[in-house]
Amino acid sequence: MKKLIVAVAALAFTALSHAAQAQNYPVRPITLVIPFAPGGSTSIVGRGVAEKMGELLGEKVVVDNRPGAGGTVGTKAVAKSDPDGYTLLLGYTGTLAIGPSLYKNAGYDPRKDFAPIGMIGNAPNSLVVHPSFPAKSVAELITYAKANPGKVNFGSAGAGTASHITGEYFARAAGITLVHIPYKGTGPALTDLLGGHIPMAFAPIPASHTNVAAGKLRALAVTSSARSGLLPDVPTIAEAGLPGFDASLYYGLVAPAGTPRPVIDKLNKALHAALTSEEVKRQLGNDGTDITPGTPEDYADFIDKDEKKWAQLVKASGVEQE
């Protein structure tokens, strides 16, 4: 009986301690780890949300880009960091849904090692080519690739990223062979594409659309099941001849597992307020991100479903990383 009383008292003390921590939180700057190089869609989305959340929380949310191994380096680092609410991660399809099944040892479990804060939104990838590339449609690209097997390169944000697996998914669905050229982030991949060093890439719309609008790149298709409001004249890959093709990308915020629930709730409230603010809605909307805020439980359920979907695509692609 005495042990039970001690245990209950300890739980009560912990609950009160967490509540007090949340009430005072934050008392110093928060670090938001974006596990990719600057310049890509994750940075565009993460920086927009971080700035507004910092205003709402009264402390800066400092962005820390940590690229490497398809985003798994930065993701693993957050999974192993202190669960005190001062180190957060920009969750992403490439890291929470693809990485765990693509890498033999990603170093983290998307369900067990993180405390979901909330979803931010989603955006499709775009299939973009250099203006000098002869194909002006998906059908022409497929025909060209079949006539030139193994001679068409495509760039991605890195081995194992969503843009990489989307490219493998596309090649398999189209019955063609493409040569993958990995970069350390979407930004570097687009830099080489703009320079004509590679002919094509799969890149998130938030990172590619300004160059498409300026005529520096040509968009052949988007990878979602519906057209993008930012590129309404660009067909989906499904429309362009590969029925059922769908590879949308999702963003959210997570903290290390064990982060006190009151802190998670405070962060979720700030995230929701940021996403419903006019400036963030305008900024992300202008970059092609469909905002979908929700509860931590909503995001946890989504992470589970999204990982199962992409695990099947990774298996079907036959791609595996060390």
Side-chain angles (χ1 to χ4, degrees):
M1 185 65 178
K2 185 176 180 180
K3 289 182 178 180
L4 178 60
I5 293 172
V6 171
V8 170
L11 287 172
F13 176 80
T14 300
L16 288 171
S17 177
H18 285 173
Q21 181 182 349
Q23 186 175 1
N24 297 324
Y25 173 87
V27 295
R28 64 178 191 270
I30 299 166
T31 297
L32 173 60
V33 173
I34 297 178
F36 295 96
S41 66
T42 49
S43 285
I44 291 171
V45 172
R47 288 180 183 276
V49 170
E51 184 175 349
K52 188 62 180 179
M53 285 184 68
E55 292 177 14
L56 295 165
L57 291 167
E59 287 284 353
K60 286 186 177 181
V61 178
V62 181
V63 169
D64 179 6
N65 289 91
R66 297 192 202 177
T72 60
V73 171
T75 303
K76 180 180 179 179
V78 175
K80 296 184 178 301
S81 64
D82 291 336
D84 55 9
Y86 289 97
T87 304
L88 310 179
L89 173 74
L90 184 76
Y92 179 58
T93 294
T95 51
L96 299 185
I98 295 175
S101 56
L102 181 75
Y103 291 89
K104 289 183 178 180
N105 182 19
Y108 59 86
D109 184 314
R111 297 174 179 84
K112 297 178 180 179
D113 292 335
F114 298 102
I117 295 166
M119 188 179 288
I120 293 172
N122 70 86
N125 260 318
S126 56
L127 168 50
V128 287
V129 300
H130 189 269
S132 64
F133 191 61
K136 292 180 171 57
S137 68
V138 169
E140 289 182 9
L141 167 60
I142 293 172
T143 298
Y144 182 86
K146 286 182 176 179
N148 297 275
K151 296 181 179 180
V152 180
N153 299 337
F154 79 94
S156 81
T161 61
S163 52
H164 172 203
I165 300 304
T166 297
E168 301 289 353
Y169 175 21
F170 173 78
R172 181 182 177 86
I176 59 176
T177 300
L178 298 175
V179 179
H180 175 229
I181 308 297
Y183 290 84
K184 291 184 178 180
T186 298
L190 287 180
T191 296
D192 262 17
L193 179 59
L194 289 165
H197 302 296
I198 53 174
M200 62 179 280
F202 287 87
I205 287 178
S208 69
H209 80 94
T210 53
N211 289 307
V212 171
K216 296 178 180 180
L217 296 177
R218 183 165 64 243
L220 301 187
V222 295
T223 65
S224 51
S225 58
R227 294 193 182 197
S228 166
L230 207 59
L231 298 172
D233 296 328
V234 178
T236 66
I237 289 178
E239 286 179 299
L242 298 178
F245 193 100
D246 180 18
S248 293
L249 309 176
Y250 290 83
Y251 311 89
L253 289 186
V254 298
T259 301
R261 180 59 193 237
V263 171
I264 294 294
D265 289 339
K266 195 164 189 176
L267 287 166
N268 177 266
K269 183 178 179 180
L271 174 61
H272 190 278
L275 293 176
T276 54
S277 68
E278 289 303 318
E279 56 264 52
V280 174
K281 285 197 296 183
R282 181 172 59 253
Q283 180 180 355
L284 298 192
N286 287 343
D287 283 317
T289 301
D290 181 17
I291 295 173
T292 55
T295 67
E297 288 74 22
D298 292 335
Y299 192 29
D301 288 343
F302 180 81
I303 289 171
D304 178 58
K305 294 175 183 176
D306 204 36
E307 193 278 334
K308 289 176 181 176
K309 169 190 171 180
W310 283 92
Q312 292 178 342
L313 293 177
V314 169
K315 184 178 180 180
S317 73
V319 178
E320 186 177 60
Q321 302 291 325
E322 292 296 331

